[in-house]
Amino acid sequence: GGSLPSPACPADRKRKEIFAAGQGPLGPDYDFHQMVRIDTTTNARATEYCPPELGEERYFFYLPGPDGLKASQDDNAKLMGAVYRIKLPECADIEKLFGEPGRAGSDQAHLGATAAGLAVDGKGALLVADPANKRVVAVGETDGKFLGEFKVERDGLHGLGADAKSGAVYGFFKGGVTKYSGWRDGRKVADIPF
C-alpha cells in the first residue's frame, strides 16, 4: 500500500485498500514497480540523447530518489526482508529502518520476506505486516528498534490499519478484516468479512 499502481505493477501486488480521509495513496510515479528505459550499449538509464533503436524498456523494482536503491526483477531478493524510510515528497534519503535486506528470518531483527503493509499507532510505533511469519511486528517509528509482535491466525495478511484513540489494529486479509485489541497483546476482537 501507499501508492496507486503503475502500469508495471504485477497483478498479484495490486490490492484494494481503505484509507483515512485526506490520507489517500500517492500517485503511480511513487510505485516501486517501474518500467525504465535503458541504453542497451551501457546498461544505464537512457538519456534523451540515446537513439531510439538502442533503448529498451525494462522492469525494475525501484525505490525512487537521486541515490535510491534500484534492482532488477532478479535482484528483488536483495531488498526483501527490510523496511525502508524514504523522505517524501522528494523521495530522497533512503535508509533501512528495520530488518536486514536479503536475509529472511523470524526473530526480533528480521522479517520473513517483504513487508506487506505498514501502519502507525499514533504513539510512536510503526506496525509492519510480516505475512511470511504470520505476525505483526511493532518497531520504533523513528529508530526502527523492535518493540514487540503478535501472531495472526489467518494466511494472506496484506495490509494494516491502526486506531490511534483505541489502540486497535486492523489486519487486512483476502475476504475480510480482523480487528485486534492492539499490538501489545494482539487479542482478536472481531472478524469482519467483505
Side-chain angles (χ1 to χ4, degrees):
S3 74
L4 294 171
S6 72
C9 185
D12 67 341
R13 299 302 298 169
K14 295 178 183 178
R15 295 178 168 76
K16 291 184 180 180
E17 295 195 17
I18 300 168
F19 290 89
Q23 297 180 4
L26 298 170
D29 290 344
Y30 289 92
D31 188 359
F32 295 159
H33 305 278
Q34 297 289 334
M35 295 301 291
V36 178
R37 188 161 177 74
I38 300 296
D39 181 331
T40 58
T41 62
T42 63
N43 277 329
R45 182 175 236 162
T47 68
E48 65 270 17
Y49 304 109
C50 178
E53 66 274 9
L54 297 178
E56 176 181 286
E57 293 285 321
R58 294 186 190 163
Y59 169 89
F60 280 82
F61 183 84
Y62 176 76
L63 297 178
D67 299 312
L69 299 171
K70 301 166 189 72
S72 69
Q73 190 168 19
D74 296 331
D75 290 335
N76 281 350
K78 293 177 184 175
L79 298 175
M80 66 189 294
V83 175
Y84 298 89
R85 179 190 343 246
I86 304 170
K87 185 177 180 183
L88 295 177
E90 301 88 359
C91 291
D93 301 329
I94 298 170
E95 62 184 73
K96 177 188 70 77
L97 180 66
F98 175 80
E100 188 174 349
R103 298 213 44 204
S106 59
D107 56 25
Q108 296 183 4
H110 295 89
L111 296 173
T114 303
L118 303 171
V120 292
D121 72 349
K123 297 172 180 65
L126 174 68
L127 307 176
V128 182
D130 184 8
N133 290 317
K134 292 178 73 173
R135 68 179 179 168
V136 173
V137 176
V139 300
E141 195 175 337
T142 57
D143 61 8
K145 181 180 174 188
F146 181 86
L147 300 174
E149 68 176 55
F150 71 89
K151 294 289 187 181
V152 299
E153 312 82 32
R154 298 167 66 180
D155 290 322
L157 176 64
H158 67 80
L160 292 174
D163 184 324
K165 286 186 179 181
S166 71
V169 176
Y170 298 87
F172 298 93
F173 300 87
K174 184 175 182 177
V177 175
T178 299
K179 180 181 179 181
Y180 300 92
S181 57
W183 67 263
R184 294 185 190 278
D185 63 1
R187 184 176 41 85
K188 183 169 77 169
V189 175
D191 280 318
I192 307 160
F194 287 157

